[in-house]
Amino acid sequence: MLRSLWLEGRHGDRRPPLDRDIEVDVAVAGAGIAGLTTALLLEREGLTVAVLEMRHVGAGATGYTTAKLSSLHGLTYTKLAKSLGRDSARTYGEANEAGIARVFALADELGIDCDLRRKPNYTYAEPGSDPDEVRQEALLARELGLPASYVEELDLPFPVAGAVQFDEQGEFHPVRYLDGLAAALRGPIFEGTTATGVGSGGVKTARGHRVRAEHVVVATHLSFLDRGLYFARCHPERSYVVAGRVADRPAGMYLSTESPAHSIRAHGDWLLVGGESHKTGQANAAERYERLSAWARDRFGLEPELRWATQDHMPVDGVPYVGRHDPVSSNLWVATGFRKWGLAMGTAAAELLTALITGREHPWVALFDPNRVRARAGAPTFAKENANVAYHFVADRVLKHGAPRCTHLGCLLDWNAAERTWDCPCHGSRFATGGEVIEGPAVRPLHTPPPPPS
């Protein structure tokens, strides 16, 4: 069944959409973990806040994650130290550790029942791989002040060549956590409300209503505003999850270094296995689900009962964009490009945005500055990904017939038969069969979507 474990059994009335013009200190677009945490922290600073959400709380990436709270992100520290320096790598780890701590603190303070617990997280190398990569990652992370060690054995039902271990990481039920944050907000959350533009008067919505606000935070996974060019400075990837109930479940959380990587974690009786990522609109989703199911069946004897996919935006230099949205917008803020690790980092982003909006200095500003220029670290990826976009923009007009055009910049969409959506291979916008927007940066629906291919 194509649905997320985190949204199973979730009932209750949806919040009404915005039906009038309102005025607040801050308008937040996006009701995922970054948006709701930012709204809560800003309210605690005495500001009035309204949240606008295109669908419903938890409908975006937070509701379709594997729900790991961790500062161990594959072999990130080795890569960051090489491209940006050890100080930047240290700051990246510090921010993610702070995000983990903040989730635990808020869950405790607000009494949120979300199955939150401490767990070790591992990045492991498959047999036949060079264990020096994970050994060096562990050594470097330890030197950077992170809870890292190198281990050679795990409680997985297959051997590994070696692994990085981070202690005192976390796992939880992300949608229950979001519901707890939402319940704690004093200001309104307007569901079914699509933000379509930002101007001097605040946020404009698809139904014509406006939120007048001194500050606007764009926490919509990828900015729906073309200013800032985030659609060109990130590329979108889809990753898959299969889940089933098995008797023997490993105790930690795991990610392999192979390509494509595999992610593993348990939740109650369930075992979640993720992986098979690819650029949005550029692979057969049904085949990816089948390959992932076969891997899970072979390694764990898992028969999938649920399956789902998520989308992530990968920044060109490997660091999220958190701060001022663009050079000419003084009170417009953004948090995007979390590259598959948006739970701890999204929470840390809320802390940074709160400091910036309230005029406080913060030690993370320079690393995550959305208007940074890092030619050496980001230029090769920028060139590669935008060449890929240019190819699809031109070649698909020859190769595809009858495909609708994305309402963002006009790329021809790819039919995703497994999830019954139209996916954009250029910048990752996705549309339902009726034409509704599921993922941005597009904000306008398909006017006359063709019938799905048989």
Side-chain angles (χ1 to χ4, degrees):
M1 183 65 68
L2 190 61
R3 60 179 189 266
S4 167
L5 175 64
W6 315 125
L7 297 172
E8 282 287 277
R10 189 166 184 256
H11 302 292
D13 296 333
R14 295 282 173 84
R15 298 170 178 85
L18 180 68
D19 61 358
R20 65 196 184 281
D21 290 358
I22 63 170
E23 185 170 356
V24 290
D25 295 324
V26 185
V28 176
I33 196 166
L36 291 183
T37 309
T38 301
L40 180 63
L41 296 184
L42 287 171
E43 282 192 346
R44 292 182 171 191
E45 295 288 336
L47 301 176
T48 57
V49 183
V51 179
L52 310 178
E53 167 55 45
M54 181 172 66
R55 289 185 288 164
H56 59 83
V57 170
T62 308
Y64 292 86
T65 175
T66 52
K68 298 175 181 177
L69 287 161
S70 183
S71 56
L72 175 60
H73 303 163
L75 302 176
T76 288
Y77 296 100
T78 302
K79 295 173 184 175
L80 287 180
K82 181 178 179 180
S83 62
L84 301 177
R86 290 170 67 100
D87 287 346
S88 292
R90 181 180 290 105
T91 299
Y92 181 92
E94 176 186 298
N96 281 279
E97 284 289 299
I100 298 169
R102 176 77 73 170
V103 170
F104 275 87
L106 287 175
D108 180 64
E109 177 187 344
L110 300 174
I112 302 175
D113 181 9
C114 58
D115 301 322
L116 179 63
R117 57 181 62 85
R118 292 284 184 179
K119 284 284 185 74
N121 190 26
Y122 302 91
T123 293
Y124 70 89
E126 287 274 357
S129 301
D130 184 359
D132 284 346
E133 284 190 331
V134 289
R135 185 183 293 111
Q136 290 168 6
E137 179 78 1
L139 177 60
L140 174 59
R142 190 76 179 180
E143 292 173 352
L144 297 176
L146 294 160
S149 59
Y150 174 73
V151 297
E152 295 184 338
E153 294 184 359
L154 300 177
D155 66 335
L156 294 171
F158 52 85
V160 301
V164 187
Q165 174 177 319
F166 270 34
D167 292 321
E168 293 297 296
Q169 307 296 284
E171 65 177 23
F172 66 157
H173 190 301
V175 174
R176 289 180 189 166
Y177 179 75
L178 287 189
D179 286 340
L181 295 182
L185 288 174
R186 297 188 299 272
I189 300 172
F190 297 103
E191 296 183 331
T193 301
T194 302
T196 59
V198 176
S200 58
V203 181
K204 297 177 287 186
T205 67
R207 298 190 182 196
H209 302 297
R210 186 181 297 267
V211 180
R212 292 184 293 273
E214 181 180 356
H215 295 274
V216 175
V217 175
V218 179
T220 53
H221 202 36
L222 184 71
S223 177
F224 60 91
L225 301 170
D226 285 348
R227 64 182 104 162
L229 299 176
Y230 293 100
F231 64 86
R233 295 195 286 146
C234 296
H235 74 269
E237 289 191 3
R238 292 195 65 72
S239 302
Y240 301 88
V241 183
V242 295
R245 282 168 278 211
V246 296
D248 296 321
R249 298 173 298 281
M253 305 177 292
Y254 313 83
L255 180 70
S256 67
T257 61
E258 64 187 324
S259 182
H262 290 97
S263 169
I264 304 160
R265 69 152 288 200
H267 179 78
D269 293 337
W270 293 87
L271 183 68
L272 283 61
V273 176
E276 293 294 336
S277 64
H278 62 83
K279 193 169 180 182
T280 302
Q282 299 188 26
N284 185 313
E287 290 180 359
R288 298 298 174 122
Y289 277 122
E290 287 304 316
R291 282 160 49 175
L292 187 60
S293 297
W295 191 91
R297 192 176 294 115
D298 178 64
R299 296 295 179 101
F300 294 97
L302 182 149
E303 291 297 334
E305 299 175 52
L306 298 174
R307 61 175 187 164
W308 66 91
T310 192
Q311 187 153 308
D312 295 279
H313 294 276
M314 317 296 284
V316 295
D317 64 357
V319 176
Y321 303 106
V322 184
R324 195 178 304 281
H325 187 283
D326 55 82
V328 299
S329 302
S330 59
N331 291 338
L332 178 61
W333 311 91
V334 70
T336 192
F338 293 128
R339 64 180 204 89
K340 307 184 183 183
W341 296 102
L343 298 177
M345 189 61 235
T347 305
E351 177 181 324
L352 177 53
L353 290 173
T354 300
L356 291 167
I357 290 170
T358 56
R360 298 197 307 272
E361 294 184 356
H362 200 286
W364 305 340
V365 169
L367 177 63
F368 299 106
D369 179 11
N371 302 298
R372 62 191 183 252
V373 177
R374 295 174 182 152
R376 186 171 68 90
T381 302
F382 179 87
K384 174 186 174 184
E385 295 303 332
N386 283 281
N388 177 270
V389 168
Y391 167 81
H392 280 276
F393 191 85
V394 175
D396 286 355
R397 281 160 169 74
V398 177
L399 300 174
K400 294 180 181 177
H401 302 283
R405 291 176 185 261
C406 179
T407 59
H408 175 227
L409 292 180
C411 288
L412 295 185
L413 302 177
D414 184 74
W415 172 244
N416 179 341
E419 296 167 328
R420 298 191 63 76
T421 59
W422 291 102
D423 300 351
C424 179
C426 294
H427 304 119
S429 296
R430 302 178 66 238
F431 303 84
T433 53
E436 305 89 348
V437 177
I438 299 173
E439 295 267 1
V443 294
R444 292 178 290 112
L446 302 177
H447 297 300
T448 54
S454 58

